[in-house]
Amino acid sequence: MSALVVLAVVLAGAQAFQPVREDRQADVGELQQIMAKFAYKLEDIEKTMATVLGGGLAGNDVDSLSRNKRQLPVENGDVNLTEQTETSACIVGLPGPSGRDGRDGAPGRDGAAGRDGQPGPQGPIGPRGDIGPEGSPGEKGERGVDGIGGGSVYIRWGRTTCPNDTDTSLIYDGIAGGTHYTHSGGGANYVCLPKDPEWGVFTDGNQATAYMQGAEYELGHGNNPFPGASLNNHDVPCAVCHVASRGSKLMIPARLSCPSGWTREYKGYLMTEYYTHYRSEFVCMDGEPETRPGGHQNTNGALFYPVEANCGSLPCPNYVQGRELTCVVCTKYRPRRQPHETTTPES
């Protein structure tokens, strides 16, 4: 490789050498000898390069190397152009190791938004939330068609069954009760107590509050309206009845029959507390009364007495002084009103 460098320097010097006219005749021969020696040297260098490259350059490759024309002086002092071969070659080495990774570049811009994905599966139902505030009432709707009345309920005093011929059903049968006839407080009405009471929170023993007594027939004053029946001082039974087909109920005192269009449930006699006892209510005792088994003891309690007509403010006639008053319990079927039917007010 160093020989090539020397050759290049000599050629450059020869090319730049421009002898003056007087001296060039004497130096031409010497210069030609020098150039001939370098030509031989050049051939040796080419052979050496071929050997070093290990056959990388074939013979044809050496001949095909680029040749540069050079200005050389001749005997007559003119300058001819001759070809001087200049070779250049480069040895290819093994690949070197990879370099280190470069630093990260600046972040790129956000890409365009993608399309919406498909809906996923429905998740489990969450816990129930709190109840919201009550909304404002809506507008009042139109009145519907009247039903059959929803039925009616009444107490049949003195009996444990309901009439079978009036389409009624027994809710329960029980025991007549009320406030003791000597007590000024307590309830002012009779009640039909069930035979099997159910208890809540209780304290045994009387605490001097209010009391519920059983009820007895009181018929020892000679005015027994129930001939053939021994009822005096017997406990009074009762039955709670339901009429599904008739929605209105009425107890009429001093009557044994019902008005037109009404159905009689049962008939009997009007009874209440004794006139010098504390007040109670008027009830219609069935005309064929029964007694509670095992209840024939004069323990008093709430009492039932027949009611007599007493003339004065009560007109006589048609009422009669001292006569026991009858009674009747009636129900009525209310016909179903047709749709959009209006009720005409009475004039």
Side-chain angles (χ1 to χ4, degrees):
M1 189 69 183
S2 59
L4 291 176
V5 176
V6 173
L7 180 59
V9 173
V10 172
L11 291 177
Q15 186 176 7
F17 178 72
Q18 295 292 336
V20 292
R21 193 68 180 179
E22 297 80 24
D23 298 331
R24 69 182 176 180
Q25 292 294 331
D27 297 332
V28 167
E30 185 180 355
L31 181 59
Q32 288 177 346
Q33 294 177 2
I34 295 172
M35 294 300 296
K37 293 179 180 180
F38 275 103
Y40 291 127
K41 190 66 175 179
L42 179 60
E43 292 179 2
D44 294 337
I45 292 173
E46 289 177 351
K47 294 177 181 180
T48 302
M49 290 296 294
T51 302
V52 171
L53 294 177
L57 294 176
N60 295 334
D61 295 334
V62 174
D63 294 339
S64 63
L65 293 175
S66 62
R67 300 176 180 272
N68 295 328
K69 294 182 182 292
R70 296 287 185 264
Q71 292 182 351
L72 296 177
V74 293
E75 279 185 20
N76 57 4
D78 295 330
V79 178
N80 287 337
L81 297 177
T82 184
E83 290 184 351
Q84 177 66 42
T85 302
E86 183 183 55
T87 63
S88 64
C90 154
I91 300 174
V92 179
L94 297 174
S98 301
R100 294 181 298 175
D101 293 341
R103 291 181 295 177
D104 294 339
R109 294 181 299 175
D110 293 340
R115 294 181 300 176
D116 293 340
Q118 297 295 326
Q122 182 176 358
I125 299 176
R128 183 175 181 179
D130 297 334
I131 298 176
E134 183 178 357
S136 57
E139 297 181 0
K140 186 177 181 180
E142 297 181 359
R143 181 176 177 178
V145 178
D146 290 346
I148 60 176
S152 60
V153 176
Y154 63 87
I155 298 175
R156 189 182 189 187
W157 298 103
R159 293 297 294 265
T160 58
T161 60
C162 297
N164 293 324
D165 57 349
T166 56
D167 191 26
T168 61
S169 59
L170 177 69
I171 299 176
Y172 69 92
D173 66 294
I175 306 163
T179 301
H180 196 278
Y181 73 97
T182 63
H183 293 172
S184 60
N189 60 309
Y190 299 102
V191 294
C192 186
L193 298 169
K195 296 177 181 178
D196 51 347
E198 297 176 348
W199 306 104
V201 178
F202 60 87
T203 302
D204 291 335
N206 290 345
Q207 285 80 47
T209 54
Y211 301 109
M212 177 64 71
Q213 311 286 150
E216 295 180 351
Y217 295 107
E218 289 293 336
L219 301 170
H221 291 264
N223 58 342
N224 184 1
F226 310 103
S230 178
L231 302 175
N232 190 44
N233 292 328
H234 278 268
D235 295 342
V236 180
C238 56
V240 179
C241 304
H242 175 244
V243 185
S245 60
R246 293 180 289 278
S248 300
K249 179 200 70 173
L250 176 65
M251 190 276 282
I252 305 176
R255 294 287 295 184
L256 294 173
S257 60
C258 295
S260 175
W262 290 73
T263 299
R264 184 174 68 185
E265 299 295 326
Y266 72 94
K267 63 181 180 177
Y269 289 91
L270 200 65
M271 301 190 80
T272 190
E273 271 287 359
Y274 192 66
Y275 78 101
T276 60
H277 296 168
Y278 292 100
R279 292 181 179 178
S280 182
E281 65 174 331
F282 294 105
V283 298
C284 186
M285 188 68 64
D286 193 276
E288 298 177 358
E290 300 172 341
T291 60
R292 186 177 70 84
H296 184 202
Q297 296 180 13
N298 187 20
T299 55
N300 292 318
L303 304 176
F304 285 99
Y305 289 86
V307 178
E308 300 174 345
N310 195 31
C311 296
S313 300
L314 186 66
C316 296
N318 294 330
Y319 287 91
V320 178
Q321 179 68 33
R323 188 176 291 184
E324 284 71 34
L325 296 176
T326 59
C327 60
V328 64
V329 174
C330 307
T331 57
K332 182 179 182 180
Y333 171 78
R334 184 176 183 180
R336 189 184 184 93
R337 187 161 60 91
Q338 298 298 321
H340 309 296
E341 181 182 346
T342 57
T343 302
T344 303
E346 298 180 359
S347 57

